[in-house]
Amino acid sequence: MNFVTQNWMLILVALVSGGLLFVPALQGARSSLTAAAAVQRINREKGVLVDVRDAEEFAAGHARGAKHVPAADIDAKLPQTVKNKATPVIVMCATGNRAAKAVAQIKKLGYANVEALSGGLKAWRAAELPVEKSA
């Protein structure tokens, strides 16, 4: 007991820092994939890559095979684009910020296996993965 009273501040710091490790789990941590992990998920698990950028951005260049579902239209268009809610969905945007927000919205629609592409199209290009333009 003497140890506890003499080192109460160290014990408090340990408890607080340990508790902070659980904050992401409690908040429903945003899950994200690297570009290489996204390609593996698409190939191995028949995942669908969904681009949530606006039409002009998508037309200027997008990952090959990506489905275009603008962030503003997720509720209306995603169920038509990805009919099976068990299908892995990888969400991408330009840098990853909009995709992270879209993941929460897509999960509310009942899709369980949804992750954001970390770094978005920028990371996709940096990994030298194929990009195409819409006609």
Side-chain angles (χ1 to χ4, degrees):
M1 191 59 153
N2 200 16
F3 175 80
V4 174
T5 57
Q6 290 177 352
N7 296 298
W8 68 271
M9 287 191 76
L10 291 175
I11 294 170
L12 180 64
V13 169
L15 289 173
V16 170
S17 63
L20 290 175
L21 293 173
F22 292 105
V23 170
L26 296 174
Q27 292 177 340
R30 293 180 181 165
S31 53
S32 62
L33 296 171
T34 63
V39 170
Q40 288 179 345
R41 174 88 26 100
I42 292 166
N43 291 335
R44 290 183 183 163
E45 300 176 28
K46 305 294 183 213
V48 177
L49 184 59
V50 175
D51 193 320
V52 296
R53 297 175 301 147
D54 62 34
E56 294 81 26
E57 290 176 297
F58 185 80
H62 56 273
R64 186 180 301 153
K67 307 291 183 194
H68 185 228
V69 179
D73 300 332
I74 287 174
D75 292 339
K77 292 186 177 179
L78 188 67
Q80 297 168 358
T81 305
V82 183
K83 295 182 188 282
N84 184 351
K85 292 187 177 186
T87 301
V89 177
I90 297 98
V91 185
M92 76 179 306
C93 63
T95 60
N97 294 329
R98 284 179 280 182
K101 292 176 185 174
V103 166
Q105 187 177 356
I106 293 169
K107 285 184 177 182
K108 285 181 184 175
L109 292 174
Y111 293 84
N113 195 356
V114 185
E115 295 181 274
L117 176 65
S118 180
L121 185 62
K122 185 177 180 181
W124 188 268
R125 285 186 168 149
E128 298 180 3
L129 292 167
V131 175
E132 60 189 8
K133 293 184 179 182
S134 297

